[in-house]
PDB file of all heavy atoms in Angstrom:
ATOM      1  N   SER A  30      14.471 -20.590  24.602  1.00  0.00           N
ATOM      2  CA  SER A  30      15.236 -21.251  23.479  1.00  0.00           C
ATOM      3  C   SER A  30      15.777 -20.061  22.548  1.00  0.00           C
ATOM      4  O   SER A  30      15.363 -18.954  22.435  1.00  0.00           O
ATOM      5  CB  SER A  30      14.284 -22.126  22.699  1.00  0.00           C
ATOM      6  OG  SER A  30      14.939 -22.479  21.422  1.00  0.00           O
ATOM      7  N   THR A  31      16.877 -20.371  21.946  1.00  0.00           N
ATOM      8  CA  THR A  31      17.624 -19.346  21.059  1.00  0.00           C
ATOM      9  C   THR A  31      17.072 -19.624  19.618  1.00  0.00           C
ATOM     10  O   THR A  31      17.523 -18.980  18.617  1.00  0.00           O
ATOM     11  CB  THR A  31      18.985 -19.642  21.003  1.00  0.00           C
ATOM     12  OG1 THR A  31      19.383 -20.904  20.586  1.00  0.00           O
ATOM     13  CG2 THR A  31      19.623 -19.291  22.364  1.00  0.00           C
ATOM     14  N   LEU A  32      15.945 -20.492  19.465  1.00  0.00           N
ATOM     15  CA  LEU A  32      15.445 -20.769  18.221  1.00  0.00           C
ATOM     16  C   LEU A  32      14.869 -19.489  17.488  1.00  0.00           C
ATOM     17  O   LEU A  32      15.134 -19.361  16.278  1.00  0.00           O
ATOM     18  CB  LEU A  32      14.401 -21.850  18.295  1.00  0.00           C
ATOM     19  CG  LEU A  32      13.869 -22.554  17.077  1.00  0.00           C
ATOM     20  CD1 LEU A  32      14.914 -23.195  16.273  1.00  0.00           C
ATOM     21  CD2 LEU A  32      12.635 -23.448  17.364  1.00  0.00           C
ATOM     22  N   SER A  33      14.197 -18.684  18.233  1.00  0.00           N
ATOM     23  CA  SER A  33      13.536 -17.436  17.623  1.00  0.00           C
ATOM     24  C   SER A  33      14.624 -16.601  16.976  1.00  0.00           C
ATOM     25  O   SER A  33      14.475 -16.107  15.855  1.00  0.00           O
ATOM     26  CB  SER A  33      12.726 -16.697  18.647  1.00  0.00           C
ATOM     27  OG  SER A  33      12.215 -15.612  18.085  1.00  0.00           O
ATOM     28  N   ALA A  34      15.671 -16.428  17.620  1.00  0.00           N
ATOM     29  CA  ALA A  34      16.717 -15.467  17.076  1.00  0.00           C
ATOM     30  C   ALA A  34      17.286 -15.973  15.845  1.00  0.00           C
ATOM     31  O   ALA A  34      17.607 -15.428  14.793  1.00  0.00           O
ATOM     32  CB  ALA A  34      17.763 -15.264  18.151  1.00  0.00           C
ATOM     33  N   ARG A  35      17.523 -17.406  15.720  1.00  0.00           N
ATOM     34  CA  ARG A  35      18.191 -18.138  14.631  1.00  0.00           C
ATOM     35  C   ARG A  35      17.181 -17.961  13.449  1.00  0.00           C
ATOM     36  O   ARG A  35      17.628 -17.885  12.269  1.00  0.00           O
ATOM     37  CB  ARG A  35      18.367 -19.420  14.984  1.00  0.00           C
ATOM     38  CG  ARG A  35      19.479 -19.692  15.998  1.00  0.00           C
ATOM     39  CD  ARG A  35      19.753 -21.062  16.240  1.00  0.00           C
ATOM     40  NE  ARG A  35      20.922 -21.293  17.276  1.00  0.00           N
ATOM     41  CZ  ARG A  35      21.268 -22.479  17.762  1.00  0.00           C
ATOM     42  NH1 ARG A  35      20.657 -23.515  17.341  1.00  0.00           N
ATOM     43  NH2 ARG A  35      22.148 -22.533  18.715  1.00  0.00           N
ATOM     44  N   LEU A  36      15.939 -18.075  13.714  1.00  0.00           N
ATOM     45  CA  LEU A  36      15.015 -17.997  12.591  1.00  0.00           C
ATOM     46  C   LEU A  36      14.720 -16.652  12.003  1.00  0.00           C
ATOM     47  O   LEU A  36      14.110 -16.490  10.980  1.00  0.00           O
ATOM     48  CB  LEU A  36      13.595 -18.729  12.887  1.00  0.00           C
ATOM     49  CG  LEU A  36      13.668 -20.275  13.263  1.00  0.00           C
ATOM     50  CD1 LEU A  36      12.378 -20.709  13.642  1.00  0.00           C
ATOM     51  CD2 LEU A  36      14.242 -20.962  12.022  1.00  0.00           C
ATOM     52  N   SER A  37      15.005 -15.576  12.818  1.00  0.00           N
ATOM     53  CA  SER A  37      14.669 -14.289  12.440  1.00  0.00           C
ATOM     54  C   SER A  37      16.014 -13.400  12.593  1.00  0.00           C
ATOM     55  O   SER A  37      16.079 -12.398  13.388  1.00  0.00           O
ATOM     56  CB  SER A  37      13.674 -13.644  13.255  1.00  0.00           C
ATOM     57  OG  SER A  37      12.545 -14.433  13.246  1.00  0.00           O
ATOM     58  N   PRO A  38      17.040 -13.744  11.796  1.00  0.00           N
ATOM     59  CA  PRO A  38      18.328 -12.981  11.889  1.00  0.00           C
ATOM     60  C   PRO A  38      18.142 -11.503  11.349  1.00  0.00           C
ATOM     61  O   PRO A  38      18.879 -10.723  11.812  1.00  0.00           O
ATOM     62  CB  PRO A  38      19.226 -13.787  11.075  1.00  0.00           C
ATOM     63  CG  PRO A  38      18.368 -14.482  10.044  1.00  0.00           C
ATOM     64  CD  PRO A  38      17.120 -14.802  10.694  1.00  0.00           C
ATOM     65  N   ALA A  39      17.112 -11.342  10.540  1.00  0.00           N
ATOM     66  CA  ALA A  39      17.060 -10.034   9.950  1.00  0.00           C
ATOM     67  C   ALA A  39      16.019  -9.111  10.757  1.00  0.00           C
ATOM     68  O   ALA A  39      15.866  -7.930  10.304  1.00  0.00           O
ATOM     69  CB  ALA A  39      16.535 -10.069   8.512  1.00  0.00           C
ATOM     70  N   ALA A  40      15.511  -9.612  11.858  1.00  0.00           N
ATOM     71  CA  ALA A  40      14.517  -8.750  12.554  1.00  0.00           C
ATOM     72  C   ALA A  40      15.257  -7.740  13.347  1.00  0.00           C
ATOM     73  O   ALA A  40      16.197  -7.994  14.074  1.00  0.00           O
ATOM     74  CB  ALA A  40      13.784  -9.725  13.519  1.00  0.00           C
ATOM     75  N   ALA A  41      14.819  -6.581  13.288  1.00  0.00           N
ATOM     76  CA  ALA A  41      15.384  -5.418  14.054  1.00  0.00           C
ATOM     77  C   ALA A  41      14.557  -5.159  15.240  1.00  0.00           C
ATOM     78  O   ALA A  41      13.514  -5.775  15.578  1.00  0.00           O
ATOM     79  CB  ALA A  41      15.355  -4.150  13.150  1.00  0.00           C
ATOM     80  N   THR A  42      15.027  -4.282  16.099  1.00  0.00           N
ATOM     81  CA  THR A  42      14.317  -4.113  17.440  1.00  0.00           C
ATOM     82  C   THR A  42      13.040  -3.463  17.276  1.00  0.00           C
ATOM     83  O   THR A  42      12.193  -3.517  18.102  1.00  0.00           O
ATOM     84  CB  THR A  42      15.290  -3.206  18.374  1.00  0.00           C
ATOM     85  OG1 THR A  42      15.502  -1.990  17.641  1.00  0.00           O
ATOM     86  CG2 THR A  42      16.488  -3.942  18.732  1.00  0.00           C
ATOM     87  N   ASP A  43      12.812  -2.740  16.086  1.00  0.00           N
ATOM     88  CA  ASP A  43      11.550  -2.052  15.867  1.00  0.00           C
ATOM     89  C   ASP A  43      10.574  -2.901  15.144  1.00  0.00           C
ATOM     90  O   ASP A  43       9.493  -2.466  14.774  1.00  0.00           O
ATOM     91  CB  ASP A  43      11.731  -0.819  15.015  1.00  0.00           C
ATOM     92  CG  ASP A  43      12.321  -1.013  13.714  1.00  0.00           C
ATOM     93  OD1 ASP A  43      12.659  -2.178  13.481  1.00  0.00           O
ATOM     94  OD2 ASP A  43      12.490  -0.083  12.915  1.00  0.00           O
ATOM     95  N   GLY A  44      10.904  -4.123  14.842  1.00  0.00           N
ATOM     96  CA  GLY A  44       9.982  -5.152  14.345  1.00  0.00           C
ATOM     97  C   GLY A  44      10.035  -5.089  12.739  1.00  0.00           C
ATOM     98  O   GLY A  44       9.262  -5.912  12.090  1.00  0.00           O
ATOM     99  N   ARG A  45      10.838  -4.180  12.173  1.00  0.00           N
ATOM    100  CA  ARG A  45      10.906  -4.062  10.673  1.00  0.00           C
ATOM    101  C   ARG A  45      12.135  -4.736  10.131  1.00  0.00           C
ATOM    102  O   ARG A  45      13.171  -4.843  10.703  1.00  0.00           O
ATOM    103  CB  ARG A  45      10.788  -2.631  10.245  1.00  0.00           C
ATOM    104  CG  ARG A  45       9.502  -1.958  10.595  1.00  0.00           C
ATOM    105  CD  ARG A  45       9.533  -0.506  10.255  1.00  0.00           C
ATOM    106  NE  ARG A  45      10.482   0.172  10.999  1.00  0.00           N
ATOM    107  CZ  ARG A  45      10.832   1.513  10.796  1.00  0.00           C
ATOM    108  NH1 ARG A  45      10.123   2.113   9.928  1.00  0.00           N
ATOM    109  NH2 ARG A  45      11.769   2.071  11.507  1.00  0.00           N
ATOM    110  N   PRO A  46      12.132  -5.220   8.869  1.00  0.00           N
ATOM    111  CA  PRO A  46      13.259  -5.841   8.200  1.00  0.00           C
ATOM    112  C   PRO A  46      14.411  -4.810   8.178  1.00  0.00           C
ATOM    113  O   PRO A  46      14.231  -3.642   7.947  1.00  0.00           O
ATOM    114  CB  PRO A  46      12.836  -6.160   6.820  1.00  0.00           C
ATOM    115  CG  PRO A  46      11.368  -6.235   6.953  1.00  0.00           C
ATOM    116  CD  PRO A  46      11.015  -5.241   8.002  1.00  0.00           C
ATOM    117  N   SER A  47      15.628  -5.300   8.494  1.00  0.00           N
ATOM    118  CA  SER A  47      16.807  -4.487   8.477  1.00  0.00           C
ATOM    119  C   SER A  47      17.297  -4.093   7.136  1.00  0.00           C
ATOM    120  O   SER A  47      18.077  -3.168   6.915  1.00  0.00           O
ATOM    121  CB  SER A  47      17.890  -5.096   9.430  1.00  0.00           C
ATOM    122  OG  SER A  47      18.330  -6.306   8.784  1.00  0.00           O
ATOM    123  N   ARG A  48      16.869  -5.106   6.158  1.00  0.00           N
ATOM    124  CA  ARG A  48      17.405  -4.715   4.726  1.00  0.00           C
ATOM    125  C   ARG A  48      16.444  -4.107   3.969  1.00  0.00           C
ATOM    126  O   ARG A  48      15.186  -3.998   4.391  1.00  0.00           O
ATOM    127  CB  ARG A  48      17.863  -6.196   4.134  1.00  0.00           C
ATOM    128  CG  ARG A  48      16.765  -7.269   4.106  1.00  0.00           C
ATOM    129  CD  ARG A  48      17.385  -8.622   3.644  1.00  0.00           C
ATOM    130  NE  ARG A  48      16.351  -9.556   3.738  1.00  0.00           N
ATOM    131  CZ  ARG A  48      15.560  -9.897   2.676  1.00  0.00           C
ATOM    132  NH1 ARG A  48      15.629  -9.251   1.451  1.00  0.00           N
ATOM    133  NH2 ARG A  48      14.632 -10.991   2.871  1.00  0.00           N
ATOM    134  N   GLU A  49      16.828  -3.739   2.788  1.00  0.00           N
ATOM    135  CA  GLU A  49      15.813  -2.920   1.935  1.00  0.00           C
ATOM    136  C   GLU A  49      14.794  -3.859   1.358  1.00  0.00           C
ATOM    137  O   GLU A  49      15.005  -5.069   1.247  1.00  0.00           O
ATOM    138  CB  GLU A  49      16.520  -2.304   0.810  1.00  0.00           C
ATOM    139  CG  GLU A  49      17.487  -1.147   1.249  1.00  0.00           C
ATOM    140  CD  GLU A  49      18.107  -0.456   0.044  1.00  0.00           C
ATOM    141  OE1 GLU A  49      17.859  -0.879  -1.103  1.00  0.00           O
ATOM    142  OE2 GLU A  49      18.936   0.494   0.289  1.00  0.00           O
ATOM    143  N   PHE A  50      13.635  -3.334   1.038  1.00  0.00           N
ATOM    144  CA  PHE A  50      12.482  -4.142   0.567  1.00  0.00           C
ATOM    145  C   PHE A  50      12.759  -4.685  -0.796  1.00  0.00           C
ATOM    146  O   PHE A  50      13.420  -3.931  -1.745  1.00  0.00           O
ATOM    147  CB  PHE A  50      11.158  -3.342   0.482  1.00  0.00           C
ATOM    148  CG  PHE A  50      10.081  -4.069  -0.234  1.00  0.00           C
ATOM    149  CD1 PHE A  50       9.377  -4.975   0.447  1.00  0.00           C
ATOM    150  CD2 PHE A  50       9.758  -3.658  -1.456  1.00  0.00           C
ATOM    151  CE1 PHE A  50       8.344  -5.620  -0.185  1.00  0.00           C
ATOM    152  CE2 PHE A  50       8.722  -4.331  -2.123  1.00  0.00           C
ATOM    153  CZ  PHE A  50       7.923  -5.218  -1.429  1.00  0.00           C
ATOM    154  N   GLN A  51      12.424  -6.015  -1.023  1.00  0.00           N
ATOM    155  CA  GLN A  51      12.611  -6.600  -2.357  1.00  0.00           C
ATOM    156  C   GLN A  51      11.287  -7.131  -2.809  1.00  0.00           C
ATOM    157  O   GLN A  51      10.536  -7.727  -1.992  1.00  0.00           O
ATOM    158  CB  GLN A  51      13.643  -7.675  -2.315  1.00  0.00           C
ATOM    159  CG  GLN A  51      15.115  -7.114  -2.028  1.00  0.00           C
ATOM    160  CD  GLN A  51      16.053  -8.307  -1.875  1.00  0.00           C
ATOM    161  OE1 GLN A  51      15.722  -9.469  -2.269  1.00  0.00           O
ATOM    162  NE2 GLN A  51      17.383  -7.978  -1.574  1.00  0.00           N
ATOM    163  N   GLU A  52      11.017  -7.027  -4.090  1.00  0.00           N
ATOM    164  CA  GLU A  52       9.791  -7.597  -4.602  1.00  0.00           C
ATOM    165  C   GLU A  52       9.922  -9.138  -4.700  1.00  0.00           C
ATOM    166  O   GLU A  52      10.638  -9.566  -5.581  1.00  0.00           O
ATOM    167  CB  GLU A  52       9.440  -6.938  -5.921  1.00  0.00           C
ATOM    168  CG  GLU A  52       9.016  -5.451  -5.800  1.00  0.00           C
ATOM    169  CD  GLU A  52       8.540  -4.909  -7.158  1.00  0.00           C
ATOM    170  OE1 GLU A  52       8.523  -5.710  -8.088  1.00  0.00           O
ATOM    171  OE2 GLU A  52       8.240  -3.783  -7.204  1.00  0.00           O
ATOM    172  N   GLU A  53       9.273  -9.835  -3.766  1.00  0.00           N
ATOM    173  CA  GLU A  53       9.220 -11.330  -3.843  1.00  0.00           C
ATOM    174  C   GLU A  53       7.922 -11.785  -3.540  1.00  0.00           C
ATOM    175  O   GLU A  53       7.170 -11.296  -2.667  1.00  0.00           O
ATOM    176  CB  GLU A  53      10.370 -11.842  -2.822  1.00  0.00           C
ATOM    177  CG  GLU A  53      11.662 -11.601  -3.086  1.00  0.00           C
ATOM    178  CD  GLU A  53      12.650 -12.117  -1.998  1.00  0.00           C
ATOM    179  OE1 GLU A  53      12.511 -11.749  -0.831  1.00  0.00           O
ATOM    180  OE2 GLU A  53      13.381 -13.037  -2.398  1.00  0.00           O
ATOM    181  N   SER A  54       7.566 -12.902  -4.187  1.00  0.00           N
ATOM    182  CA  SER A  54       6.275 -13.637  -3.772  1.00  0.00           C
ATOM    183  C   SER A  54       6.475 -14.464  -2.586  1.00  0.00           C
ATOM    184  O   SER A  54       7.523 -14.757  -2.153  1.00  0.00           O
ATOM    185  CB  SER A  54       5.872 -14.680  -4.971  1.00  0.00           C
ATOM    186  OG  SER A  54       6.836 -15.734  -4.995  1.00  0.00           O
ATOM    187  N   LEU A  55       5.331 -14.722  -1.953  1.00  0.00           N
ATOM    188  CA  LEU A  55       5.253 -15.496  -0.684  1.00  0.00           C
ATOM    189  C   LEU A  55       5.997 -16.891  -0.945  1.00  0.00           C
ATOM    190  O   LEU A  55       6.662 -17.357  -0.058  1.00  0.00           O
ATOM    191  CB  LEU A  55       3.918 -15.538  -0.168  1.00  0.00           C
ATOM    192  CG  LEU A  55       3.868 -16.280   1.257  1.00  0.00           C
ATOM    193  CD1 LEU A  55       4.400 -15.492   2.263  1.00  0.00           C
ATOM    194  CD2 LEU A  55       2.327 -16.425   1.553  1.00  0.00           C
ATOM    195  N   ALA A  56       5.708 -17.500  -2.173  1.00  0.00           N
ATOM    196  CA  ALA A  56       6.310 -18.721  -2.366  1.00  0.00           C
ATOM    197  C   ALA A  56       7.935 -18.596  -2.382  1.00  0.00           C
ATOM    198  O   ALA A  56       8.615 -19.552  -2.090  1.00  0.00           O
ATOM    199  CB  ALA A  56       5.842 -19.329  -3.684  1.00  0.00           C
ATOM    200  N   ASP A  57       8.366 -17.433  -3.013  1.00  0.00           N
ATOM    201  CA  ASP A  57       9.794 -17.392  -3.143  1.00  0.00           C
ATOM    202  C   ASP A  57      10.499 -17.082  -1.682  1.00  0.00           C
ATOM    203  O   ASP A  57      11.433 -17.690  -1.395  1.00  0.00           O
ATOM    204  CB  ASP A  57      10.146 -16.045  -3.947  1.00  0.00           C
ATOM    205  CG  ASP A  57       9.823 -16.291  -5.449  1.00  0.00           C
ATOM    206  OD1 ASP A  57       9.759 -17.496  -5.849  1.00  0.00           O
ATOM    207  OD2 ASP A  57       9.658 -15.362  -6.118  1.00  0.00           O
ATOM    208  N   VAL A  58       9.620 -16.418  -0.826  1.00  0.00           N
ATOM    209  CA  VAL A  58      10.098 -16.193   0.522  1.00  0.00           C
ATOM    210  C   VAL A  58      10.246 -17.521   1.313  1.00  0.00           C
ATOM    211  O   VAL A  58      11.168 -17.870   1.919  1.00  0.00           O
ATOM    212  CB  VAL A  58       9.150 -15.200   1.270  1.00  0.00           C
ATOM    213  CG1 VAL A  58       9.566 -15.164   2.771  1.00  0.00           C
ATOM    214  CG2 VAL A  58       9.343 -13.783   0.662  1.00  0.00           C
ATOM    215  N   GLU A  59       9.193 -18.405   1.032  1.00  0.00           N
ATOM    216  CA  GLU A  59       9.109 -19.615   1.794  1.00  0.00           C
ATOM    217  C   GLU A  59      10.224 -20.531   1.276  1.00  0.00           C
ATOM    218  O   GLU A  59      10.814 -21.131   2.029  1.00  0.00           O
ATOM    219  CB  GLU A  59       7.677 -20.248   1.530  1.00  0.00           C
ATOM    220  CG  GLU A  59       7.621 -21.652   2.372  1.00  0.00           C
ATOM    221  CD  GLU A  59       6.268 -22.239   2.078  1.00  0.00           C
ATOM    222  OE1 GLU A  59       5.921 -22.447   0.848  1.00  0.00           O
ATOM    223  OE2 GLU A  59       5.697 -22.733   3.020  1.00  0.00           O
ATOM    224  N   ARG A  60      10.447 -20.488  -0.099  1.00  0.00           N
ATOM    225  CA  ARG A  60      11.510 -21.335  -0.633  1.00  0.00           C
ATOM    226  C   ARG A  60      12.818 -20.960  -0.148  1.00  0.00           C
ATOM    227  O   ARG A  60      13.643 -21.889   0.192  1.00  0.00           O
ATOM    228  CB  ARG A  60      11.419 -21.271  -2.203  1.00  0.00           C
ATOM    229  CG  ARG A  60      12.474 -22.064  -2.874  1.00  0.00           C
ATOM    230  CD  ARG A  60      12.252 -21.862  -4.418  1.00  0.00           C
ATOM    231  NE  ARG A  60      13.128 -22.754  -5.158  1.00  0.00           N
ATOM    232  CZ  ARG A  60      14.481 -22.348  -5.410  1.00  0.00           C
ATOM    233  NH1 ARG A  60      14.912 -21.207  -5.037  1.00  0.00           N
ATOM    234  NH2 ARG A  60      15.230 -23.203  -6.169  1.00  0.00           N
TER     235      ARG A  60
END
């Protein structure tokens, strides 16, 4: 399924986020 890629557009090949780190709570990330 292509579902995984759609849900993780920011995932890089090394497993780390491609954008810079931002201070966010888990609730904000979920929202």
Side-chain angles (χ1 to χ4, degrees):
S30 171
T31 59
L32 189 60
S33 179
R35 293 179 181 179
L36 292 180
S37 304
T42 56
D43 60 356
R45 293 176 297 175
S47 58
R48 57 189 176 91
E49 294 182 359
F50 173 75
Q51 297 181 3
E52 293 186 3
E53 292 180 299
S54 67
L55 186 60
D57 291 336
V58 173
E59 183 181 51
R60 179 178 183 278

